[in-house]
Amino acid sequence: MASAVMNATFSSTNSTNTLFDVFQEVSSYNVQLNIAERLWASWYLWMQNDVLATGIMSFVMHEIVYFGRSIPWMIVDTIPYFNKYKLQNQKLPSWKEQWECAALVLLSHCTVELPQIWLFHPVAAYFGMDYGVPFPSIWTMAMQISIFFIFEDAWHYWFHRALHYGPLYKNIHKLHHTYSAPFGLAAEYASPIEAMLLGFGIVGSPIIWVSVFGDLHLLTMYVWIILRLFQAIDAHSGYDFPWSLRHIVPFWAGADHHDLHHEKFIGNYASSFRWWDYCLDTEAGLEATKARRERKLAQIKGKKAQ
């Protein structure tokens, strides 16, 4: 851990040191570390409480990324030029809708997600998560994050699909479908039960990984969360550009995939990829509906011909 790695260096550190003082001393004794690693170690050494240090950093990171990524979509909604890329361009969110959505999301972050964020460190550390320096290699992080995306997508598909079952939809998931034409801020506009249930796929994937393999760094978790937030917000943006990722990676879901889910209220249950909906015939939209109808008609004709 950061405090263990640097313990000998900072035997003289006391509560009067500023974060800058700690960083200066870390830098002077650990020239082999890059600037980001020095800042990381300095933060944990200065806080002197690993759980508190991770909790504050995690919550601040989540809020900056979530609202920081949502603001550009709010701006795009005000520029007429981009309307031609809007999937449901007859439905633009009003400022009132966006501010009401932001208020509920922020409330959810502070009351539902904050306790989960705070508990992540002790739980993950118990199973062997590392949060010291140096950081893991980019290739290790890329491999693990790719696995997290696949695992979370499967989790999201099945539980999201279950939430569209009558009573579960009415009592839990209906709130998320308040907006039939979604926008970026609405990515985490959901009931507390849904936030915890679907959120487990995001937080639980790394915990399961580290409990089995004992190899996970907190930085990998942060990069995974940032990328997943970007994916969720972009999928709810309501915009499909020629340069959107789904035009480059055919099996990537993208905004067009999730926008149809909100418009039709059924089908397209997966979060990041298209394969679950394709293989299990739960794709939404006119083309998918037409294809299912034609297959059923073919089956009926085949039975009659027998």
Side-chain angles (χ1 to χ4, degrees):
M1 307 313 168
S3 54
V5 170
M6 304 298 176
N7 189 52
T9 304
F10 290 97
S11 57
S12 62
T13 299
N14 57 60
S15 59
T16 62
N17 288 103
T18 66
L19 180 57
F20 180 74
D21 292 333
V22 177
F23 175 73
Q24 289 289 91
E25 197 158 355
V26 167
S27 298
S28 63
Y29 284 94
N30 297 276
V31 293
Q32 78 281 7
L33 300 177
N34 61 43
I35 292 177
E37 290 169 336
R38 296 175 201 175
L39 284 169
W40 182 281
S42 300
W43 169 251
Y44 277 94
L45 287 163
W46 183 64
M47 288 297 296
Q48 294 293 306
N49 184 315
D50 294 341
V51 175
L52 185 62
T54 299
I56 293 173
M57 188 162 55
S58 301
F59 185 73
V60 171
M61 180 272 292
H62 183 271
E63 299 312 292
I64 290 174
V65 172
Y66 187 85
F67 291 103
R69 183 55 183 164
S70 297
I71 289 172
W73 292 118
M74 295 173 69
I75 296 172
V76 166
D77 278 331
T78 67
I79 303 174
Y81 171 80
F82 293 110
N83 193 249
K84 60 185 176 182
Y85 300 115
K86 181 76 171 173
L87 292 160
Q88 299 184 61
N89 56 20
Q90 75 283 7
K91 300 177 182 178
L92 286 172
S94 66
W95 282 107
K96 182 175 182 292
E97 287 177 319
Q98 298 206 55
W99 285 116
E100 287 177 350
C101 176
L104 189 141
V105 167
L106 183 59
L107 178 64
S108 176
H109 287 179
C110 294
T111 58
V112 179
E113 295 188 21
L114 182 57
Q116 297 177 63
I117 288 172
W118 220 264
L119 285 172
F120 173 79
H121 181 103
V123 172
Y126 172 81
F127 286 110
M129 180 189 70
D130 180 21
Y131 52 98
V133 289
F135 294 150
S137 70
I138 292 176
W139 296 113
T140 297
M141 293 172 64
M143 180 271 292
Q144 293 176 349
I145 290 169
S146 297
I147 292 171
F148 298 160
F149 262 110
I150 293 170
F151 184 93
E152 189 280 332
D153 184 69
W155 176 277
H156 191 100
Y157 175 86
W158 287 106
F159 279 89
H160 185 192
R161 185 173 177 178
L163 286 175
H164 276 263
Y165 168 71
L168 295 180
Y169 178 83
K170 181 180 178 182
N171 295 299
I172 300 174
H173 191 52
K174 187 177 180 179
L175 179 64
H176 184 66
H177 278 274
T178 298
Y179 309 105
S180 59
F183 47 92
L185 277 168
E188 292 188 352
Y189 187 84
S191 71
I193 296 175
E194 179 174 348
M196 289 187 288
L197 184 62
L198 297 182
F200 182 82
I202 300 172
V203 178
S205 303
I207 290 177
I208 292 172
W209 174 269
V210 71
S211 66
V212 174
F213 299 102
D215 177 26
L216 177 70
H217 196 281
L218 180 59
L219 179 65
T220 304
M221 176 69 178
Y222 282 172
V223 176
W224 152 239
I225 292 294
I226 290 170
L227 292 175
R228 181 62 180 85
L229 283 173
F230 269 54
Q231 183 279 327
I233 293 165
D234 290 357
H236 285 81
S237 69
Y239 288 89
D240 183 43
F241 300 108
W243 56 86
S244 293
L245 185 58
R246 70 108 174 175
H247 295 290
I248 303 170
V249 182
F251 54 82
W252 186 253
D256 73 310
H257 183 268
H258 198 67
D259 204 273
L260 269 175
H261 173 76
H262 275 263
E263 183 182 8
K264 305 300 181 183
F265 290 89
I266 195 167
N268 288 6
Y269 300 112
S271 57
S272 300
F273 307 111
R274 295 175 182 261
W275 51 57
W276 282 105
D277 288 293
Y278 176 80
C279 293
L280 297 177
D281 198 22
T282 54
E283 292 180 298
L286 294 175
E287 291 184 10
T289 302
K290 182 180 178 181
R292 278 192 289 270
R293 187 184 302 115
E294 289 175 350
R295 285 196 298 270
K296 288 181 180 179
L297 288 173
Q299 289 175 356
I300 293 172
K301 290 179 180 178
K303 288 180 180 180
K304 288 182 178 179
Q306 290 178 354

